[in-house]
Amino acid sequence: MVPGAYDAYFGATATAAAALVGLLFVAVSVRDDTIFGSKAIPGGEALAITAFTGLVNSLVVSLIGLIPKVNVGEPAVIMAVIGIVASVRLQRRLHAGRNPRNLIVFAVTLLAYAAQFGFGVLLLLKPHDSDWVLNLSFIIFLTLIVSLQRAWSL
């Protein structure tokens, strides 16, 4: 359960994530040929996909965190698993492992999703422990900022 003190935070992160998803769609539609086309910048597709995944992660966990009497640990775990699977599949598909910078970004992404998974499990086990909500809040903030940076790189 999310203490009422976090309502404003989750409301703000949900609003920010929703707005940034919308702006990402605009950016991709305006420059779709340079992101997904034959003239695509190297790694542009990966940046767009990982930015979208991170923003949706922040949006979903934050929105569900606003629902009274719902344990935010469950969506945190589900979205972390989706984020890990999407990141690993993208890494394999794009063969991005050859670039050290991509490996660092991949490692940070996996670390953030793993931490989110862990805090989500802890919240499922101890739903009234506000320390785990605080830690999850920092992970949501981190994924939002990293996703913003990736979207900006497009």
Side-chain angles (χ1 to χ4, degrees), residues 49-50 53 80-91 106 113:
I49 292 170
T50 56
T53 304
V81 169
I82 290 170
I84 290 168
V85 169
S87 297
V88 169
R89 289 183 68 198
L90 183 65
Q91 185 79 2
F106 178 65
Y113 285 130

Side-chain angles (χ1 to χ4, degrees), residues 43-151:
E45 180 180 1
L47 285 171
I49 292 170
T50 56
F52 178 75
T53 304
L55 292 171
V56 168
N57 174 69
S58 297
L59 175 65
V60 169
V61 175
S62 295
L63 281 176
I64 294 177
L66 290 170
I67 301 172
K69 299 181 183 177
V70 172
N71 188 333
V72 74
E74 190 172 333
V77 167
I78 292 168
M79 293 306 294
V81 169
I82 290 170
I84 290 168
V85 169
S87 297
V88 169
R89 289 183 68 198
L90 183 65
Q91 185 79 2
R92 282 187 192 160
R93 193 176 95 211
L94 296 178
H95 305 290
R98 297 180 189 143
N99 182 341
R101 183 174 181 261
N102 288 341
L103 280 176
I104 292 169
V105 170
F106 178 65
V108 169
T109 300
L110 286 183
L111 183 63
Y113 285 130
Q116 178 176 316
F117 181 87
F119 294 135
V121 168
L122 290 169
L123 278 165
L124 289 172
L125 297 173
K126 293 185 176 182
H128 299 289
D129 191 338
S130 63
D131 288 340
W132 300 129
V133 176
L134 176 64
N135 292 333
L136 180 61
S137 297
F138 284 119
I139 296 299
I140 297 301
F141 180 75
L142 175 68
T143 58
L144 193 62
I145 295 301
V146 169
S147 299
L148 176 62
Q149 183 274 329
R150 289 178 182 165

